[in-house]
Amino acid sequence: SMTKSFDDFFNEMVMLEYSEPVTFLERLTKITDPTIEQLVPWKLDLYQRRVVRDRSRFKIINKSRKTGISTAITGWAFHTVLTEPNIDIAMVSTAERIAYEMMDKVKGIANTLPQALTPSYEINRNEKFMMPNKSRILSLPASPQTIRGLGLKGKTYVIFDEFAAASAREPGLWD
């Protein structure tokens, strides 16, 4: 039997640890603290951890505004496209401005990784974040035209932010 070198073992343990999204986000990324307008290490609240770790196929979150769930979900999305190849994540928001803000959150999280771990990514316009592993995040306003023209491939996650507002405003979304 082949024995592993300590370096191989160490690298394997690091990869295993960082494959878990909460550990990855808290140890390697930073987030802007709105009270001091500065980057601080990201410490997820318990309810954010539950959302990020939940592997259910469908999740419905009934919450009040400004609780950090959208931010936690963008962290999960970034971790997912970083660690899984050929994944599409479509983040659908109530308006174009909100869609751009969601993408800015993803970019902001990506840009706080330590230099050695920062992946090369490509941004097409404001709505597509593409990784070298062919995984991508699309952030779009909720309209039937944008959803139909997505061209999603392979394994896809769709996140509706403020879903009730989107479904009321755009009944054609479900045709």
Side-chain angles (χ1 to χ4, degrees):
S1 75
M2 225 173 84
T3 30
K4 288 182 188 166
S5 73
F6 178 76
D7 285 344
D8 287 344
F9 172 75
F10 180 79
N11 289 335
E12 213 173 272
M13 289 300 105
V14 167
M15 289 312 296
L16 184 67
E17 186 164 302
Y18 293 147
S19 68
E20 195 283 309
V22 171
T23 303
F24 171 86
L25 293 170
E26 289 192 339
R27 292 202 181 171
L28 294 176
T29 66
K30 290 184 168 51
I31 195 151
T32 302
D33 179 334
T35 59
I36 57 171
E37 291 293 320
Q38 287 185 344
L39 286 175
V40 295
W42 195 350
K43 183 84 177 98
L44 282 85
D45 291 317
L46 200 55
Y47 60 90
Q48 290 173 312
R49 288 166 169 247
R50 278 185 53 205
V51 168
V52 169
R53 286 187 171 138
D54 187 337
R55 308 279 297 166
S56 305
R57 181 157 180 226
F58 299 101
K59 296 179 212 169
I60 296 174
I61 303 162
N62 185 7
K63 62 171 193 69
S64 57
R65 296 181 45 73
K66 301 289 181 196
T67 57
I69 291 294
S70 296
T71 303
I73 288 173
T74 58
W76 167 84
F78 174 66
H79 177 265
T80 301
V81 297
L82 189 65
T83 56
E84 290 185 53
N86 300 308
I87 296 281
D88 274 350
I89 298 177
M91 296 190 300
V92 182
S93 301
T94 51
E96 195 170 38
R97 180 184 59 80
I98 310 284
Y100 291 158
E101 282 174 18
M102 294 283 278
M103 189 53 78
D104 283 343
K105 283 182 188 183
V106 173
K107 290 186 265 187
I109 293 165
N111 291 335
T112 65
L113 278 176
Q115 196 66 47
L117 297 174
T118 304
S120 61
Y121 59 83
E122 181 188 316
I123 306 275
N124 292 28
R125 299 176 304 280
N126 270 324
E127 69 271 3
K128 194 193 311 177
F129 179 94
M130 178 101 147
M131 300 293 286
N133 66 3
K134 303 290 183 247
S135 286
R136 60 192 184 155
I137 298 172
L138 304 137
S139 189
L140 306 150
S143 79
Q145 298 82 357
T146 53
I147 304 300
R148 277 196 204 100
L150 271 183
L152 299 171
K153 57 181 177 38
K155 187 173 180 185
T156 301
Y157 296 98
V158 180
I159 298 161
F160 287 95
D161 192 42
E162 297 190 22
F163 185 67
S167 57
R169 193 176 306 129
E170 290 290 351
L173 204 57
W174 317 109
D175 291 344

